[in-house]
Amino acid sequence: MALYNNPYYQNYNYNPAYNPGYDQNQIVQNCGFVPIPSENDARSYPVKHGTSVTFRDENLPYIYIKTLGFGQLDSPIFERYRLVKEDAPAEPKKDESPVYVTKSEFEELREAVAQLRKELGDE
């Protein structure tokens, strides 16, 4: 007896609610870094719908990102970034202690401020 003639046959692999073309929660996937010899090669590199490919230029300090959306009429978006090497900030020397004012220097400063206030008439 053939299954296609049986009116009670049920295909358990069929899900009428599943429609991959209209998923509202689609996320563009990143496929990692691809080494490439030039920008023209990155621009002509084929990209699938819903993916983003990051290219590392082997000859110049550039990174290229090519992204294609999910729509059939979408055109790819091409971005170009220049790599800049930054040195790590120098850590302060541990043997340098902060400079404090001595008590005698503070008293001299206090007397000078008091003298200025006296001359300005603030006291």
Side-chain angles (χ1 to χ4, degrees), residues 33 39 43 52-57 60-67 77-84:
F33 282 91
E39 182 177 345
R43 287 186 182 273
S52 177
V53 181
T54 305
F55 303 98
R56 181 184 54 86
D57 196 318
L60 297 172
Y62 287 104
I63 295 290
Y64 313 113
I65 299 176
K66 188 173 183 181
T67 306
I77 299 170
F78 192 84
E79 298 171 321
R80 177 179 169 181
Y81 296 94
R82 181 176 176 81
L83 293 175
V84 178

Short mmCIF file of all heavy atoms in Angstrom, two decimals, residues 33 39 43 52-57 60-67 77-84:
data_model
loop_
_atom_site.label_atom_id
_atom_site.label_comp_id
_atom_site.label_asym_id
_atom_site.label_seq_id
_atom_site.Cartn_x
_atom_site.Cartn_y
_atom_site.Cartn_z
N PHE A 33 37.08 36.84 10.46
CA PHE A 33 38.02 37.56 9.61
C PHE A 33 38.44 36.70 8.42
O PHE A 33 38.68 35.51 8.55
CB PHE A 33 39.28 37.91 10.40
CG PHE A 33 39.09 39.09 11.30
CD1 PHE A 33 38.68 38.93 12.61
CD2 PHE A 33 39.33 40.36 10.84
CE1 PHE A 33 38.52 40.00 13.44
CE2 PHE A 33 39.16 41.46 11.66
CZ PHE A 33 38.75 41.28 12.96
N GLU A 39 41.50 45.79 -1.46
CA GLU A 39 40.12 46.25 -1.24
C GLU A 39 39.20 45.79 -2.37
O GLU A 39 38.04 45.46 -2.14
CB GLU A 39 40.10 47.77 -1.13
CG GLU A 39 38.72 48.33 -0.86
CD GLU A 39 38.72 49.83 -0.69
OE1 GLU A 39 39.78 50.44 -0.50
OE2 GLU A 39 37.61 50.41 -0.73
N ARG A 43 35.62 43.90 -2.09
CA ARG A 43 34.36 44.40 -2.68
C ARG A 43 33.70 43.36 -3.58
O ARG A 43 32.49 43.30 -3.68
CB ARG A 43 34.62 45.67 -3.47
CG ARG A 43 34.91 46.87 -2.60
CD ARG A 43 35.02 48.14 -3.42
NE ARG A 43 35.34 49.28 -2.59
CZ ARG A 43 34.43 50.03 -1.96
NH1 ARG A 43 33.17 49.74 -2.07
NH2 ARG A 43 34.81 51.05 -1.23
N SER A 52 27.52 39.08 7.55
CA SER A 52 28.49 40.15 7.53
C SER A 52 29.87 39.51 7.55
O SER A 52 30.14 38.65 8.39
CB SER A 52 28.30 41.06 8.75
OG SER A 52 29.28 42.06 8.77
N VAL A 53 30.74 39.92 6.63
CA VAL A 53 32.08 39.35 6.55
C VAL A 53 33.09 40.46 6.82
O VAL A 53 32.99 41.54 6.26
CB VAL A 53 32.34 38.71 5.17
CG1 VAL A 53 33.72 38.11 5.10
CG2 VAL A 53 31.28 37.67 4.85
N THR A 54 34.06 40.17 7.68
CA THR A 54 35.11 41.13 8.01
C THR A 54 36.40 40.67 7.34
O THR A 54 36.81 39.53 7.49
CB THR A 54 35.30 41.20 9.53
OG1 THR A 54 34.06 41.49 10.14
CG2 THR A 54 36.30 42.28 9.90
N PHE A 55 37.00 41.58 6.58
CA PHE A 55 38.21 41.27 5.82
C PHE A 55 39.40 42.00 6.44
O PHE A 55 39.28 43.14 6.88
CB PHE A 55 38.08 41.73 4.36
CG PHE A 55 36.91 41.14 3.65
CD1 PHE A 55 35.73 41.84 3.53
CD2 PHE A 55 36.98 39.88 3.10
CE1 PHE A 55 34.65 41.30 2.86
CE2 PHE A 55 35.91 39.33 2.43
CZ PHE A 55 34.74 40.04 2.32
N ARG A 56 40.56 41.35 6.45
CA ARG A 56 41.81 41.96 6.89
C ARG A 56 42.70 42.07 5.66
O ARG A 56 43.05 41.07 5.04
CB ARG A 56 42.48 41.11 7.96
CG ARG A 56 43.79 41.72 8.48
CD ARG A 56 44.47 40.80 9.47
NE ARG A 56 44.69 39.46 8.93
CZ ARG A 56 45.75 39.10 8.22
NH1 ARG A 56 46.67 39.99 7.92
NH2 ARG A 56 45.89 37.86 7.79
N ASP A 57 43.05 43.30 5.31
CA ASP A 57 43.91 43.52 4.16
C ASP A 57 45.33 43.06 4.52
O ASP A 57 45.88 43.46 5.53
CB ASP A 57 43.92 45.00 3.79
CG ASP A 57 44.47 45.25 2.40
OD1 ASP A 57 45.48 44.61 2.04
OD2 ASP A 57 43.89 46.06 1.67
N LEU A 60 47.87 46.33 3.42
CA LEU A 60 47.64 47.67 3.96
C LEU A 60 47.01 47.56 5.34
O LEU A 60 46.38 46.55 5.65
CB LEU A 60 46.72 48.47 3.02
CG LEU A 60 47.26 48.75 1.63
CD1 LEU A 60 46.17 49.36 0.76
CD2 LEU A 60 48.46 49.65 1.68
N PRO A 61 47.11 48.60 6.16
CA PRO A 61 46.53 48.53 7.51
C PRO A 61 45.03 48.85 7.51
O PRO A 61 44.58 49.81 8.14
CB PRO A 61 47.33 49.58 8.29
CG PRO A 61 47.67 50.60 7.26
CD PRO A 61 47.89 49.82 5.98
N TYR A 62 44.24 48.05 6.79
CA TYR A 62 42.80 48.30 6.70
C TYR A 62 42.01 47.05 7.06
O TYR A 62 42.46 45.93 6.84
CB TYR A 62 42.40 48.75 5.29
CG TYR A 62 42.83 50.16 4.97
CD1 TYR A 62 43.92 50.40 4.14
CD2 TYR A 62 42.14 51.24 5.49
CE1 TYR A 62 44.32 51.67 3.86
CE2 TYR A 62 42.54 52.54 5.20
CZ TYR A 62 43.63 52.75 4.39
OH TYR A 62 44.02 54.02 4.10
N ILE A 63 40.82 47.29 7.57
CA ILE A 63 39.82 46.26 7.81
C ILE A 63 38.59 46.68 7.02
O ILE A 63 38.19 47.85 7.04
CB ILE A 63 39.47 46.16 9.32
CG1 ILE A 63 40.67 45.69 10.12
CG2 ILE A 63 38.26 45.27 9.56
CD1 ILE A 63 41.04 44.25 9.90
N TYR A 64 37.98 45.74 6.31
CA TYR A 64 36.77 46.01 5.53
C TYR A 64 35.65 45.13 6.07
O TYR A 64 35.87 43.97 6.44
CB TYR A 64 36.98 45.68 4.05
CG TYR A 64 38.26 46.24 3.47
CD1 TYR A 64 39.28 45.39 3.06
CD2 TYR A 64 38.44 47.60 3.33
CE1 TYR A 64 40.46 45.89 2.53
CE2 TYR A 64 39.62 48.11 2.80
CZ TYR A 64 40.63 47.25 2.40
OH TYR A 64 41.78 47.75 1.88
N ILE A 65 34.45 45.69 6.12
CA ILE A 65 33.28 44.93 6.54
C ILE A 65 32.24 45.03 5.44
O ILE A 65 31.85 46.13 5.04
CB ILE A 65 32.71 45.45 7.87
CG1 ILE A 65 33.75 45.33 8.97
CG2 ILE A 65 31.45 44.69 8.24
CD1 ILE A 65 33.32 45.92 10.29
N LYS A 66 31.81 43.87 4.96
CA LYS A 66 30.79 43.82 3.91
C LYS A 66 29.58 43.09 4.49
O LYS A 66 29.68 41.96 4.96
CB LYS A 66 31.32 43.08 2.68
CG LYS A 66 30.39 43.16 1.49
CD LYS A 66 31.06 42.56 0.26
CE LYS A 66 30.19 42.68 -0.96
NZ LYS A 66 30.82 42.09 -2.14
N THR A 67 28.42 43.76 4.47
CA THR A 67 27.19 43.23 5.07
C THR A 67 26.09 43.23 4.03
O THR A 67 25.93 44.20 3.29
CB THR A 67 26.76 44.11 6.27
OG1 THR A 67 27.85 44.22 7.17
CG2 THR A 67 25.56 43.52 6.98
N ILE A 77 26.43 46.58 1.98
CA ILE A 77 27.00 47.78 2.61
C ILE A 77 28.47 47.48 2.83
O ILE A 77 28.83 46.48 3.44
CB ILE A 77 26.29 48.09 3.93
CG1 ILE A 77 24.81 48.37 3.69
CG2 ILE A 77 26.96 49.26 4.64
CD1 ILE A 77 23.99 48.44 4.95
N PHE A 78 29.34 48.37 2.34
CA PHE A 78 30.78 48.17 2.44
C PHE A 78 31.37 49.27 3.31
O PHE A 78 31.16 50.46 3.05
CB PHE A 78 31.42 48.19 1.04
CG PHE A 78 32.84 47.72 1.04
CD1 PHE A 78 33.13 46.36 0.97
CD2 PHE A 78 33.88 48.61 1.10
CE1 PHE A 78 34.44 45.91 0.96
CE2 PHE A 78 35.19 48.18 1.09
CZ PHE A 78 35.47 46.82 1.03
N GLU A 79 32.08 48.89 4.37
CA GLU A 79 32.71 49.85 5.27
C GLU A 79 34.21 49.59 5.30
O GLU A 79 34.66 48.46 5.22
CB GLU A 79 32.15 49.70 6.68
CG GLU A 79 30.67 49.99 6.76
CD GLU A 79 30.08 49.63 8.10
OE1 GLU A 79 30.49 48.59 8.67
OE2 GLU A 79 29.23 50.37 8.58
N ARG A 80 34.97 50.66 5.47
CA ARG A 80 36.43 50.58 5.48
C ARG A 80 36.95 51.24 6.75
O ARG A 80 36.57 52.37 7.07
CB ARG A 80 36.96 51.31 4.25
CG ARG A 80 38.43 51.38 4.14
CD ARG A 80 38.78 52.12 2.87
NE ARG A 80 40.19 52.45 2.85
CZ ARG A 80 40.77 53.09 1.88
NH1 ARG A 80 40.08 53.49 0.85
NH2 ARG A 80 42.04 53.34 1.93
N TYR A 81 37.83 50.54 7.48
CA TYR A 81 38.39 51.06 8.72
C TYR A 81 39.91 50.98 8.63
O TYR A 81 40.47 50.00 8.16
CB TYR A 81 37.93 50.23 9.93
CG TYR A 81 36.44 50.30 10.15
CD1 TYR A 81 35.60 49.34 9.61
CD2 TYR A 81 35.88 51.33 10.90
CE1 TYR A 81 34.23 49.41 9.81
CE2 TYR A 81 34.52 51.40 11.10
CZ TYR A 81 33.69 50.43 10.57
OH TYR A 81 32.34 50.50 10.76
N ARG A 82 40.56 52.02 9.13
CA ARG A 82 42.03 52.04 9.15
C ARG A 82 42.49 51.59 10.53
O ARG A 82 42.01 52.05 11.55
CB ARG A 82 42.55 53.45 8.86
CG ARG A 82 44.05 53.55 8.84
CD ARG A 82 44.47 54.98 8.45
NE ARG A 82 45.90 55.13 8.52
CZ ARG A 82 46.74 54.75 7.58
NH1 ARG A 82 46.29 54.18 6.50
NH2 ARG A 82 48.04 54.92 7.73
N LEU A 83 43.47 50.69 10.55
CA LEU A 83 44.03 50.20 11.81
C LEU A 83 45.13 51.15 12.27
O LEU A 83 46.01 51.52 11.50
CB LEU A 83 44.62 48.81 11.63
CG LEU A 83 43.63 47.69 11.36
CD1 LEU A 83 44.36 46.40 11.08
CD2 LEU A 83 42.72 47.52 12.54
N VAL A 84 45.07 51.55 13.53
CA VAL A 84 46.07 52.42 14.11
C VAL A 84 46.61 51.75 15.37
O VAL A 84 45.84 51.39 16.26
CB VAL A 84 45.47 53.80 14.47
CG1 VAL A 84 46.51 54.69 15.12
CG2 VAL A 84 44.90 54.46 13.24
#
